[in-house]
Amino acid sequence: MRNEDEVIKSFIASASGRVNLIGEHTDYNGGFVLPTAIPQVTRVELWPRSDSHIRAESTNFSGLRSIFEYDLGNETRLGDWPDYIQGVTHILQSEGTPLHGFEIKIESRVPIGSGLSSSAALEVSLLKVLRKAFDLSLDDIQISRLSQRVENEFVGAKVGIMDPMAASLARLGHALFLDTRDLSYRQIRIPLDQMDLLVIHSGVIHSNAHGGGYNERRSECEKACKLLGIYQLRDLSLSKLLEMKDRLPDTLFRRARHVITENARVLAAVKAIEQGEMNALGEIFYASHSSMRDDYEVSTPEIDLLIELTKEEVEVFGARLTGGGFGGSVVILTFPGKGRALGEKLCLLYENKTGKIPKILVPENSGHKCATILEKI
């Protein structure tokens, strides 16, 4: 253990959580996504050691669960937060990257299981601080790819590239328009003078690593591609899919239809944002949610209720489930200056109907009486 009286230079790095404005389950199909950074970040402080021992402490947990120790080369999957730390060191060592021991302190304000990419924020912030401490030759895109490998190869979540790219590159007040096939991207200014961005957590926790639904959806897309004789669903138009519908069982047809139409919605959303067409953007959001609910089947009754509640508010442009699904959060576009008040109202209505405690994540510090339960989970 590091001697607290010993003066050792520490290194610090951080990465933001993200809310995906639109483009769900398209990234592992070679499609388009449109995430933006949120104010909540994960911060990692690192102290190098001269041996091969790793000591990780997370302030988001208490008791014995808050500290984990291991030696380089002895990484073992546990099914808990240390897997993201072990996964990083395991993947770096498999690449031949020289490492030695270190101690880290993790502080995260990105709620776990919220659909806001808490795991990618942790992986990316750790990789960035290791880059600083050990002078590693890694650019931000390489860090994103390594983070994805941690999820895919060690943690066991077959996620796409969007979350680590967003954690590495997304900026507040801008949407990251990303082509996940070639990783080309550009930053698009969000017209916050014409809308408020509201994100509410449903109180239903999800996990890409431990829930089978996410990996199952990816497998279904791969099966659909095989039956259709294509590389990725990105390569197919909706009209062509309809021509080839008889090749697919109904479930796989609906999965493919979601991905193909969602890609088109991302492109339409980019155009709407750039042209300041908030009403059009809101309709695109609602169409996306319907597709995720009916074709991709990743929504939940609680999420659907939140979306329906927004439709009763004249000051809402649109809303949709954000993230992988099976719980998590909704992203809502409101009239400018109305997000906070509408968030308060929607939270109270939702809690009264479900008994579940929601949390307003964006904008921060809403003051809602139910907005503290997820601070440390």
Side-chain angles (χ1 to χ4, degrees):
M1 181 177 295
R2 175 172 53 88
N3 185 339
E4 296 293 342
D5 296 326
E6 185 179 0
V7 178
I8 301 175
K9 180 181 179 181
S10 68
F11 300 84
I12 297 172
S14 62
S16 296
R18 65 98 186 99
V19 58
N20 192 24
L21 297 178
I22 197 165
E24 230 65 76
H25 294 275
T26 53
D27 60 343
Y28 54 80
N29 287 293
F32 304 105
V33 294
L34 196 66
T36 186
I38 59 174
Q40 293 89 339
V41 302
T42 295
R43 177 183 183 272
V44 177
E45 185 171 8
L46 180 147
W47 294 266
R49 295 175 61 115
S50 59
D51 56 15
S52 62
H53 191 67
I54 310 295
R55 183 181 187 273
E57 178 183 357
S58 172
T59 62
N60 291 72
F61 303 94
S62 60
L64 295 176
R65 193 179 174 215
S66 67
I67 297 174
F68 182 74
E69 301 188 45
Y70 67 100
D71 290 318
L72 290 172
N74 290 332
E75 292 86 355
T76 303
R77 183 179 169 188
L78 301 174
D80 205 348
W81 68 267
D83 288 356
Y84 301 105
I85 312 303
Q86 295 187 95
V88 166
T89 60
H90 172 77
I91 293 298
L92 286 175
Q93 289 174 104
S94 72
E95 292 281 298
T97 302
L99 286 180
H100 52 82
F102 56 84
E103 299 184 19
I104 54 172
K105 184 177 182 180
I106 304 161
E107 299 176 297
S108 182
R109 290 173 46 245
V110 185
I112 299 168
S114 61
L116 301 180
S117 194
S118 58
S119 59
L122 173 55
E123 293 151 359
V124 168
S125 57
L126 176 56
L127 283 161
K128 285 186 173 182
V129 79
L130 289 171
R131 177 173 65 184
K132 285 184 181 181
F134 299 146
D135 196 26
L136 304 181
S137 298
L138 298 172
D139 61 32
D140 287 343
I141 291 181
Q142 288 173 309
I143 281 178
S144 300
R145 290 187 182 277
L146 288 169
S147 176
Q148 183 188 16
R149 287 187 58 196
V150 170
E151 298 269 7
N152 292 174
E153 300 174 25
F154 192 88
V155 175
K158 302 302 182 183
V159 301
I161 194 67
M162 176 183 69
D163 288 355
M165 285 289 284
S168 293
L169 298 166
R171 291 157 43 186
L172 288 172
H174 291 75
L176 182 73
F177 178 36
L178 172 66
D179 182 333
T180 65
R181 174 166 287 180
D182 62 15
L183 299 190
S184 60
Y185 65 91
R186 61 187 174 95
Q187 303 280 357
I188 300 173
R189 188 185 70 83
I190 299 173
L192 295 176
D193 57 331
Q194 300 180 56
M195 51 161 271
D196 274 7
L197 189 64
L198 172 65
V199 181
I200 299 177
H201 190 281
S202 65
V204 179
I205 307 299
H206 84 155
S207 169
N208 288 338
H210 304 126
Y214 188 98
N215 290 346
E216 181 183 2
R217 293 302 180 275
R218 181 163 186 164
S219 176
E220 288 170 336
C221 289
E222 292 168 353
K223 291 175 183 176
C225 288
K226 185 175 182 179
L227 290 171
L228 294 169
I230 59 174
Y231 173 57
Q232 286 180 315
L233 292 173
R234 160 79 176 270
D235 298 318
L236 207 60
S237 66
L238 181 59
S239 60
K240 192 65 176 177
L241 174 66
L242 293 172
E243 290 178 13
M244 304 167 75
K245 181 177 180 180
D246 290 345
R247 298 190 189 183
L248 299 176
D250 180 65
T251 295
L252 297 188
F253 169 75
R254 289 186 290 109
R255 303 295 189 254
R257 182 169 60 185
H258 165 75
V259 172
I260 293 167
T261 57
E262 186 78 348
N263 273 324
R265 283 187 288 269
V266 174
L267 300 179
V270 168
K271 180 179 178 181
I273 291 172
E274 292 181 326
Q275 296 182 355
E277 297 174 351
M278 296 300 102
N279 286 315
L281 184 60
E283 290 303 313
I284 293 166
F285 270 40
Y286 281 133
S288 173
H289 182 76
S290 295
S291 181
M292 294 177 72
R293 179 193 63 210
D294 301 332
D295 278 354
Y296 225 66
E297 297 182 285
V298 294
S299 190
T300 66
E302 296 87 355
I303 293 289
D304 292 340
L305 172 61
L306 265 173
I307 299 300
E308 290 306 310
L309 289 173
T310 69
K311 293 179 179 179
E312 299 174 9
E313 303 297 328
V314 296
E315 295 172 327
V316 170
F317 292 115
R320 59 181 294 277
L321 166 64
T322 185
F326 309 103
S329 301
V330 300
V331 56
I332 304 166
L333 304 180
T334 78
F335 286 14
K338 302 298 183 181
R340 179 162 303 191
L342 277 170
E344 299 282 355
K345 180 180 180 181
L346 290 168
C347 280
L348 290 172
L349 289 170
Y350 173 82
E351 183 184 356
N352 288 337
K353 288 178 177 291
T354 67
K356 295 187 179 298
I357 301 177
K359 176 178 173 60
I360 299 174
L361 301 174
V362 177
E364 286 193 286
N365 301 320
S366 69
H368 177 54
K369 69 182 182 66
C370 301
T372 59
I373 193 170
L374 295 177
E375 286 296 340
K376 291 190 176 182
I377 56 174

